[in-house]
Amino acid sequence: MRWKINWIDFIRGTILLSLTGPGCAGNFFLFASHVYVFVMGPKKKPTDLLLVHLAFTNTMTLCARGIFDITAAFHVSNFLDSASCKTVFYLGRVARGLSMCTTCLLSVVQALTISPRTSSWRKLKPRTAWQVLPSLLLFWILNSLISSNLLSYITAAQSTNGSGITPSGSHPYCHMLPSGLTVRWLFLTLMALRDIISQSLMGWSSGYMAFRLCKHRQSVLHLRSSRSQRNSSPETRATRSALLLMACFLLFYWADFIFSFCIGSFLTNDRTVLNMKLFLTLGYASLSPFVLISRASHQPPRRSAR
């Protein structure tokens, strides 16, 4: 039985390592490439700044949760005290919310970008990258407040006697102290409200982008020759990338929200449920940079303006 448990932990650690390692590398490449474009480019695009922020928050997620859970899976000696536990889980929760809000804002900005010039929605489009900075600052404030309960209820396992303690996120080094029913449902409600608003905006923007893509395709088929329609416009390619990113996001985050809600409501200690939630939490942060990089690699090179 002990041998079986060790193999389970080894497989779990291997999966986490396969998600965290390539995910950090992909996000670093995405971060560096868009920082270069943002700094060296003649025009500071809002999408470049949002992609830099998305890569940064994804890296936060992978480092805060992935690395420490890998050490636990491979039975590395406990090196976390209460302050470290609070930091790890707090940053992981904040990074998850920031990734969600940034992806939502990215989809909305892209939907406004492809809207007709005569549309009233076009007036809401940010003209420069600096116009999205207040939104990013608001995201940091809101998600820091929504996750603030972890600073009070997360503690190191070695500082407790094991009574009335529930494991936090399947991590054996850190425990979550049981909170009151009112506090628990207050923060669950705030998280659910944030998720619902973000998902609703992404649903609207994704539907609108799909509608505009279909309309654009119909006009291309009627007005352009078959040779000129092979290379789509930059706006069309960016829209397709945003839609693919939204599909990736919805797949991981709806499932992750369901697992998070069940764990927070029932304080379940089921190992399979906790591991599935952890894999889903790291899945989007690991996969999203490769979705964006693969789409960018299919874009034709830009022609230099004369």
Side-chain angles (χ1 to χ4, degrees), residues 100-273:
M100 174 186 297
C101 295
T102 305
T103 306
C104 173
L105 183 58
L106 181 64
S107 66
V108 171
V109 169
Q110 189 58 42
L112 295 175
T113 301
I114 66 172
S115 61
R117 297 183 182 275
T118 57
S119 173
S120 58
W121 294 108
R122 190 63 177 260
K123 300 178 182 178
L124 300 176
K125 174 192 172 184
R127 302 297 177 182
T128 65
W130 312 117
Q131 293 179 345
V132 302
L133 282 178
S135 298
L136 297 179
L137 179 61
L138 179 63
F139 293 160
W140 275 92
I141 295 174
L142 289 178
N143 286 286
S144 297
L145 293 175
I146 291 176
S147 306
S148 60
N149 65 316
L150 295 180
L151 297 177
S152 300
Y153 295 103
I154 292 291
T155 185
Q158 59 190 10
S159 63
T160 63
N161 57 10
S163 58
I165 306 298
T166 57
S168 175
S170 72
H171 202 296
Y173 300 161
C174 304
H175 284 173
M176 175 177 282
L177 298 170
S179 59
L181 188 63
T182 302
V183 174
R184 187 192 315 164
W185 280 102
L186 172 63
F187 283 93
L188 283 175
T189 302
L190 291 175
M191 290 175 58
L193 185 62
R194 178 200 59 192
D195 290 1
I196 291 173
I197 293 176
S198 299
Q199 298 282 349
S200 300
L201 288 174
M202 281 189 287
W204 167 80
S205 59
S206 299
Y208 182 76
M209 286 188 289
F211 170 75
R212 295 301 306 174
L213 275 180
C214 292
K215 198 169 183 180
H216 174 74
R217 180 176 177 82
Q218 292 176 356
S219 63
V220 166
L221 291 176
H222 286 86
L223 301 178
R224 297 185 179 181
S225 64
S226 59
R227 180 179 179 182
S228 62
Q229 73 181 13
R230 289 175 185 172
N231 293 333
S232 56
S233 64
E235 291 80 8
T236 301
R237 293 193 299 269
T239 301
R240 290 172 179 169
S241 298
L243 285 174
L244 188 59
L245 189 65
M246 293 310 102
C248 176
F249 176 88
L250 292 173
L251 173 66
F252 285 102
Y253 268 83
W254 268 113
D256 181 48
F257 172 76
I258 294 174
F259 278 98
S260 299
F261 191 84
C262 293
I263 293 172
S265 300
F266 306 108
L267 294 177
T268 178
N269 297 335
D270 185 82
R271 188 183 181 91
T272 303
V273 175

Side-chain angles (χ1 to χ4, degrees), residues 27-46:
N27 280 289
F28 178 78
F29 178 83
L30 185 68
F31 179 87
S33 60
H34 283 279
V35 165
Y36 177 81
V37 172
F38 183 79
V39 173
M40 303 300 296
K43 187 177 181 181
K44 314 300 183 185
K45 294 184 179 180

Side-chain angles (χ1 to χ4, degrees), residues 1 17 47 58 62 76-77 79 98 106 117 151 158 205-206 212 232 235 255-256 269 290 292 296 304:
M1 184 66 182
L17 191 61
T47 52
N58 285 341
L62 294 172
V76 178
S77 60
F79 58 92
L98 288 172
L106 181 64
R117 297 183 182 275
L151 297 177
Q158 59 190 10
S205 59
S206 299
R212 295 301 306 174
S232 56
E235 291 80 8
D256 181 48
N269 297 335
F290 296 101
L292 295 169
S304 58

Side-chain angles (χ1 to χ4, degrees), residues 19-86:
L19 289 173
T20 304
C24 287
N27 280 289
F28 178 78
F29 178 83
L30 185 68
F31 179 87
S33 60
H34 283 279
V35 165
Y36 177 81
V37 172
F38 183 79
V39 173
M40 303 300 296
K43 187 177 181 181
K44 314 300 183 185
K45 294 184 179 180
T47 52
D48 289 326
L49 182 60
L50 290 175
L51 288 174
V52 167
H53 190 260
L54 180 62
F56 177 75
T57 56
N58 285 341
T59 305
M60 279 181 59
T61 302
L62 294 172
C63 291
R65 291 305 311 271
I67 294 177
F68 289 101
D69 282 277
I70 289 173
T71 60
F74 289 112
H75 301 284
V76 178
S77 60
N78 187 1
F79 58 92
L80 296 178
D81 56 9
S82 292
S84 300
C85 285
K86 294 177 188 294

